[in-house]
Amino acid sequence: VNFTDIEGKLKSQKVPMVISLPEDDESILAAYEAYQLGYVECLFVGNPAVISQKIDRLGCAFSPEIISVSSEEEAGSKSVELVRSGRAKVLMKGNISTPKLLKAVLNSETGIKKGKLLSHVLIFEWEGTLRFLTDGGMVPHPTLEEKQEIISNAVALAHRLGCETPRTAVLSAVESVNFKMSSTTDAAILAKMGDRRQLGKCLVDGPLALDNAIALESAHHKGLFNEVVGKADILVCPDIDTGNVLGKTLLYFTQVPAGGLILGASCPIVLLSRADTKEVRLNSIRLALAAGA
Amino acid sequence: VNFTDIEGKLKSQKVPMVISLPEDDESILAAYEAYQLGYVECLFVGNPAVISQKIDRLGCAFSPEIISVSSEEEAGSKSVELVRSGRAKVLMKGNISTPKLLKAVLNSETGIKKGKLLSHVLIFEWEGTLRFLTDGGMVPHPTLEEKQEIISNAVALAHRLGCETPRTAVLSAVESVNFKMSSTTDAAILAKMGDRRQLGKCLVDGPLALDNAIALESAHHKGLFNEVVGKADILVCPDIDTGNVLGKTLLYFTQVPAGGLILGASCPIVLLSRADTKEVRLNSIRLALAAGA
């Protein structure tokens, strides 16, 4: 599966997407771009006067439904309610603060938490296939339990995007177990859980250095031969720093197509950064729509 | 490899074996039985008068060389010296106390410690093949590092006895990883170390419940399919209690041929218990000779 396949899937699907407080240029433009491509039906949650004025000023030729709210808190809870009721299939953050949006998502009574943990996945295309990098954005120092959830979220996303048995590499700096490096012992434990099918339909190996995970020749040089090495679909990072720097390196030093999602809620959440390029914005929405629809 | 193969190997080998303080009936009888079978040349270390009198009284028709010592400490250090100098290939405990013998073995200047850890292995024959159970006798609550050494000692023994690539099962009560059971997470880590060839020439899987390790049908019922399950040569117990009770169950509730050894020194150490049957005594010596020669 790659971005071209995803685009093909989305043609004229018009997936309903709610945008929480689209009162900034970036989120309105992103929604408009997706609308122009025929992918989405937009539901805006915010101040109608502010939003309409922005839409006009940006020259966007569309008039999405606007659900009126009078505060950030209300924007969060209303947006989430639209997902809960089934009216929206994807949630996108607008100008609402991330903590306020997540608070609404995680509310134990009115929220839309589905898994045990919210996690971030960067999806990028490399050698013609979507790869999933996690978690460089949500969980600072994941415990073993949290790593299990991070993998579970990524595996579920891969399945929804058409990767039936994602090859999952649990990364470390080395491919051998070293009792003094918890990234290696955690990886070994998670790999065995994969063997025992405790992580759903996927193949897991680890510890693996990044090159062992994505370059077959490099894996073979190290004497590693299995179904995961050299062909990993999912790259699981030992912590947020590793995940973040790997993701940023891909985004800023290469030209690989990429997008990001927050997983673990009942629908994918698009949480764009102001620094995201138009292509990253659109890719993130494409992925959310493909996974959420 | 089974006990018949071991016996075949030993015919008229006359391996030199030192017995430390053979001043009790059991060790003299054990040495004599092995002597009668043509397996050993005995070197006795103790009080010549006491030993000669015992030999006569027991009606043993042999006169082994007796190296005279005047204390338990001297018996320990002299016995170990005979191994260091190459005169003896196997060391057997007689009436010397276990701590005193081990102290001599472990002495950093004059001792014969070879590996990083001394460990106990019970070797038993089941379905025509020698199986290695460890550690039910030496290491109380092994850490991961100690489990690695326990496996290393058992693998080296299996190699010496002709099992080229021992299938090694790291046991727990269950075959799935459970973060609350360190026996499962340790087993997963050790299994991955086996995959990465960090444990020498062997195949490792774990966590495995005992039935998964030794009964193929049971393993298949649990959906376990690999080269180790159902056919394990080496059974690695999570702690000494588990190992001890598994070993005692085999010895007292079944008729499987069995013997025990202490590993991790430059030669195998036979450390018999008064409760050992004649067959267990002889088997232990046979195994020590076969592994040490």
Side-chain angles (χ1 to χ4, degrees), chain A residues 144-145 148 175-179 185 188-193 196-198 204-208 223-224 226, chain B residues 144-145 148 175-179 185 188-193 195-198 204-208 223-224 226:
Chain A
L144 259 174
E145 285 84 353
Q148 180 180 5
E175 79 287 356
S176 302
V177 174
N178 181 334
F179 299 145
T185 50
I189 292 168
L190 293 162
K192 184 53 67 176
M193 294 180 76
R196 296 291 192 259
R197 266 151 281 153
Q198 294 178 264
V204 187
D205 191 25
L208 290 171
L224 302 170
N226 62 48
Chain B
L144 259 174
E145 285 85 352
Q148 179 181 7
E175 80 287 356
S176 301
V177 174
N178 180 333
F179 299 145
T185 49
I189 292 167
L190 292 162
K192 183 53 66 178
M193 293 178 77
D195 290 353
R196 297 289 193 260
R197 266 153 280 155
Q198 294 178 266
V204 187
D205 192 26
L208 290 170
L224 301 171
N226 62 49

Side-chain angles (χ1 to χ4, degrees), chain A residues 33-220:
Chain A
E33 288 152 6
Y35 165 83
Q36 279 189 302
L37 290 164
Y39 299 159
V40 292
E41 173 207 333
C42 293
L43 293 165
F44 280 15
V45 174
N47 181 320
V50 173
I51 293 171
S52 301
Q53 199 185 11
K54 282 243 172 210
I55 289 175
D56 287 348
R57 202 178 43 71
L58 290 166
C60 301
F62 77 150
S63 37
E65 182 179 347
I66 303 175
I67 292 128
S68 175
V69 292
S70 52
S71 69
E72 257 188 286
E73 283 76 10
E74 204 188 337
S77 58
K78 188 68 200 170
S79 304
V80 162
E81 191 192 308
L82 291 166
V83 174
R84 269 176 81 96
S85 68
R87 272 210 65 196
K89 299 279 191 196
V90 168
L91 171 60
M92 183 165 109
K93 176 183 127 54
N95 204 32
I96 188 174
S97 76
T98 302
K100 289 216 170 87
L101 180 64
L102 294 183
K103 200 179 161 193
V105 167
L106 295 173
N107 185 298
S108 60
E109 283 174 26
T110 59
I112 51 169
K113 199 177 163 189
K114 191 184 177 196
K116 289 181 193 152
L117 185 84
L118 297 185
S119 59
H120 182 267
V121 177
L122 180 82
I123 302 98
F124 63 99
E125 184 176 320
W126 192 63
E127 294 186 345
T129 310
L130 293 186
R131 318 282 177 147
F132 305 85
L133 167 66
T134 188
D135 173 307
M138 285 292 285
V139 191
H141 289 287
T143 61
L144 259 174
E145 285 84 353
E146 288 172 330
K147 287 180 183 178
Q148 180 180 5
E149 293 306 315
I150 285 170
I151 292 174
S152 169
N153 284 347
V155 167
L157 175 66
H159 289 167
R160 291 195 72 97
L161 292 179
C163 177
E164 279 187 26
T165 311
R167 299 173 160 99
T168 304
V170 188
L171 297 183
S172 177
V174 292
E175 79 287 356
S176 302
V177 174
N178 181 334
F179 299 145
K180 288 180 185 153
M181 292 170 72
S182 64
S183 58
T184 69
T185 50
D186 279 9
I189 292 168
L190 293 162
K192 184 53 67 176
M193 294 180 76
D195 289 352
R196 296 291 192 259
R197 266 151 281 153
Q198 294 178 264
L199 300 175
K201 199 177 177 204
C202 60
L203 296 167
V204 187
D205 191 25
L208 290 171
L210 182 59
D211 57 332
N212 313 142
I214 54 162
L216 206 54
E217 202 183 342
S218 172
H220 291 177

